[in-house]
Amino acid sequence: MKNILAKWESLCAASSVLRFVDINLRGIGQVMFQDNPVTGAIFLIAIAWGSYAAGVPQVAIAGVVAVIVATLTAQWLRVDEKSLASGLYGYNGVLVGLALATFLDPSTLLWVYVVLGAAVSVVAMLGTANVVKAWGSALTFPFVIITWLLLLATYGFSGLTGTALPSGSVVAPFQPYEANPLQLIDLVQGVFQSISQVFLKASGVAALLLLAGLAVNSLAAAGFALAGAILAVATAHLLGAESALITGGLLGFSPVLTAIALGTVFYRPSWRVAIYTAVGTIFTVIAQSALNVALTPFAIPALTAPFVLVTWLFLLPRQRLEEAAVAGVEKPGATA
Amino acid sequence: MKNILAKWESLCAASSVLRFVDINLRGIGQVMFQDNPVTGAIFLIAIAWGSYAAGVPQVAIAGVVAVIVATLTAQWLRVDEKSLASGLYGYNGVLVGLALATFLDPSTLLWVYVVLGAAVSVVAMLGTANVVKAWGSALTFPFVIITWLLLLATYGFSGLTGTALPSGSVVAPFQPYEANPLQLIDLVQGVFQSISQVFLKASGVAALLLLAGLAVNSLAAAGFALAGAILAVATAHLLGAESALITGGLLGFSPVLTAIALGTVFYRPSWRVAIYTAVGTIFTVIAQSALNVALTPFAIPALTAPFVLVTWLFLLPRQRLEEAAVAGVEKPGATA
Amino acid sequence: MKNILAKWESLCAASSVLRFVDINLRGIGQVMFQDNPVTGAIFLIAIAWGSYAAGVPQVAIAGVVAVIVATLTAQWLRVDEKSLASGLYGYNGVLVGLALATFLDPSTLLWVYVVLGAAVSVVAMLGTANVVKAWGSALTFPFVIITWLLLLATYGFSGLTGTALPSGSVVAPFQPYEANPLQLIDLVQGVFQSISQVFLKASGVAALLLLAGLAVNSLAAAGFALAGAILAVATAHLLGAESALITGGLLGFSPVLTAIALGTVFYRPSWRVAIYTAVGTIFTVIAQSALNVALTPFAIPALTAPFVLVTWLFLLPRQRLEEAAVAGVEKPGATA
């Protein structure tokens, strides 16, 4: 792996076209916090497969268009070179593109929307990073806020329609679903689709590709992603969530991101961190259900807002836990 | 009083069990900003009485379990000793416990919820304190945000049901209530229940106990609590609020907290501060009505969010008023 | 113009009454970012004309009462002299007064509301300025938050009713409006009413007066206001927004403010800034539609929240663009 990356890096150093490709692949990898072009390439294959298998190839195309527009916008705005080269100005763009093409019907205006949304996601990324720099990362907040605005606005525009959007209603008591006891196979499906839904896809093959993409850069990230998905599905099942949501991975994709973020990226690993991450992952399932409910009157999806909310909450006291880890009996492992 | 506290302090210094009890009692006292174990003990009696009288003893038990879990969590997270000893990591926990047991039906999962909510309230407290340290205090924001998420999530879970939750609907014009002119006795009831509703109880006895608990630590706090409740009930009545809300104290508990906070805790007393506090208290009644309305589609209660919102608003310009007080003709009294 | 202002300034220096008038006129001018009493006076004529023409003279009176109350409150709170003299504590007040009298029925309590809202808008201004000072300006956030709370609260009070408020419902798919193709004259009307709606009026005469008021202080501001209105109307039309909203200026007033703010006040002019401003203006149209939709269940108007949201978003990365402008090939023009 190291050899491949070294070879690729030397090629990129010699070619501005390859460098541009490199930045965009890293942008795709950063959706799951991986600054690695190989990871990004594998993720791109997963996206393509998921779109193709679901009969919506425009979704993958929108993702690619959006990440390119985001990178070009970041260059035009002359953001700092190091963050740009790490793909930090691309991951929100790719998600905006995937989400818009997933929830809205294809049309010329959809592509205007994709370009505009991807460009503004960079502005939102710069702004969010400014505000939250005291406690770390913008996470996918720019993606969430820009996509929410773009989707909400369509209810006032005849030029854009969204058949895949939820329908609006006021919050009502839980409607008991059909007594359809979950089999182990359903739970396993829920675990894998929790991983693939990070890229808005319900696909076991895509999930395996995503795990592979994580593993080539960080075994810990792949491990926490899988463990987070298992914990999320188990939590949702025990709390009595609707079966279709569990098996479709719709209560698990935010917890998967929380698990990777808290477990491997922002805190140095230790037992204390593992317990803290588990609590954060479980609470993300609750936040996902809560935001699904809270957004019901607005007829928009929660996207990864539960992940952003809970991870910010659990990151804010970070100094505390890190100092504690340093001061305490546990020896911190190698930094991620 | 001073002798009792000195004696108790020496006992706590010698016993880690009593020290733990002390921290938890102060946590209960901090719900109304009092760092005093005797106040906390009297508040606990008020909670117990209110729960028993209403036939829901599990509410008081949930409050006690939650404050203990919160304190243990804070110790595990190795928060700073001084804040911990003052009970600052306990007051959100006790409120989370009281609220969950008040709004949700008893079940095994309720207790899981209480433990999880109390633990996460400490994380939220650390995080909120980090963000708002520029202008002071986290107030009860951690309680509000964690309880909202936990209650909203129940609408997606069959394992937890809430018969005491409001029902969802869209905002509709004010429905004229039955012409039932309020008697003085109704207004007096409204004043006392405004005080007891700080702990989610409608009980005159609990209100008197709470006033006593305040008075043993700070006569000013007791005075501002009572004055705040009277001002809130009068304001709500003049604006034409629904009688049941007024007499039940449901428009007054947030203003009571605003009055104590602005009047005695954060600003040094003066005529200017008294006027400023009165305006803040009146505006909290409006914010309470506004949030009741805004949360209608979501079928969750406003909790103390109006207090948090208005008190933050009125605390942000604090330097201004404190400098003014120093520079101006009024001499500030003894610091609270 | 310079002579008039110099003469006026010397009169104000000699009379505290004229100084007070000066502060209030500048407060009205600051609604569109102009620190100029002549601009404020012309704006006041526009407001008076718009109110008179619409048969609601109490709206203009409420605006005048509110700006005076706001200025007096700011003096009582001893805010810093320089900001006070520039009218920065008045513009939120005048908007609160105009909005309350526009949306609520006349009554004694309305005037209590106007006085209370104007006073609290100053507190909110001080607070917001504290929080956002890192990236610039409070904009009209204090107006928006205070007016939202006051309007929401009326749904719980029988003493205040709002016939001009929208009615609540859950979000529903776009309802195709009557096929009524827009004529050029409709679009022109939309452009002018987009400008006058900044002061909550649909009036071409008021729009011309507002443009004149801008022009006497800053030709660039008048130019960006007009260009912003044209761009907003064109964008809304291309996206298929409802005709009545476009021609009534209801999708254009926030973009007009965004265009002035980004184009002339906060960034030094250049081609890059002009493009950036255009993107921000277009995105404000989308944010306006989005907030119209998001506020549907709450039955309150979006006011200038879309302008605040998008302008904050586009201002946060300001250092970036300003540094880029300095470092780049463009020479910044004269500072606005």
Side-chain angles (χ1 to χ4, degrees), chain B residues 135 170-174 238-241 272 276 279 283 286 289-290 293-294 297-298 309 313-314 316-317 319-321 324 328, chain C residues 76-80 109 113 116 120 123-124 126-127 130-131 146 149-150 152-153 155-160 168-170 297-298:
Chain B
W135 68 84
V170 291
V171 173
F174 184 81
L238 290 176
L239 288 167
R272 292 168 57 81
Y276 194 74
V279 175
F283 200 71
I286 288 166
S289 176
V293 171
F298 305 116
L309 183 63
L313 205 60
F314 276 69
L316 273 162
Q319 300 93 326
R320 199 69 56 198
L321 209 76
Chain C
W76 187 75
L77 286 170
R78 297 173 198 158
V79 302
D80 74 297
L109 279 178
Y113 240 48
L116 181 64
V120 176
V123 175
L126 279 164
N130 257 8
V131 171
I146 298 303
L149 288 172
L150 288 165
L152 276 170
Y155 291 104
F157 296 143
S158 62
L160 289 146
S169 76
V170 291
F298 306 115

Side-chain angles (χ1 to χ4, degrees), chain B residues 50-196:
Chain B
S51 295
Y52 175 78
V56 282
Q58 75 274 17
V59 171
I61 298 168
V64 172
V65 168
V67 73
I68 292 171
V69 169
T71 301
L72 291 172
T73 305
Q75 290 177 328
W76 186 75
L77 285 170
R78 296 171 197 161
V79 301
D80 75 296
E81 285 297 324
K82 196 155 160 292
S83 302
L84 179 68
S86 303
L88 288 176
Y89 290 101
Y91 69 93
N92 284 292
V94 65
L95 288 171
V96 168
L98 295 175
L100 292 177
T102 297
F103 292 110
L104 300 177
D105 293 336
S107 72
T108 310
L109 279 178
L110 170 62
W111 296 100
V112 174
Y113 240 48
V114 168
V115 170
L116 182 64
V120 176
S121 80
V122 178
V123 175
M125 177 66 187
L126 279 164
T128 309
N130 257 8
V131 170
V132 306
K133 68 185 160 201
W135 68 84
S137 168
L139 303 177
T140 53
F141 179 77
F143 154 59
V144 170
I145 187 77
I146 298 302
T147 307
W148 275 353
L149 289 173
L150 288 165
L151 290 180
L152 276 170
T154 64
Y155 291 103
F157 295 143
S158 61
L160 290 146
T161 50
T163 44
L165 285 171
S167 60
S169 76
V170 291
V171 173
F174 184 81
Q175 300 300 321
Y177 47 88
E178 290 234 358
N180 191 2
L182 287 183
Q183 311 289 328
L184 185 62
I185 184 72
D186 298 320
L187 295 176
V188 170
Q189 186 191 330
V191 167
F192 283 103
Q193 303 212 344
S194 290
I195 294 167
S196 67

Side-chain angles (χ1 to χ4, degrees), chain C residues 55-68:
Chain C
V56 282
Q58 75 273 18
V59 171
I61 297 168
V64 172
V65 168
V67 73
I68 292 171

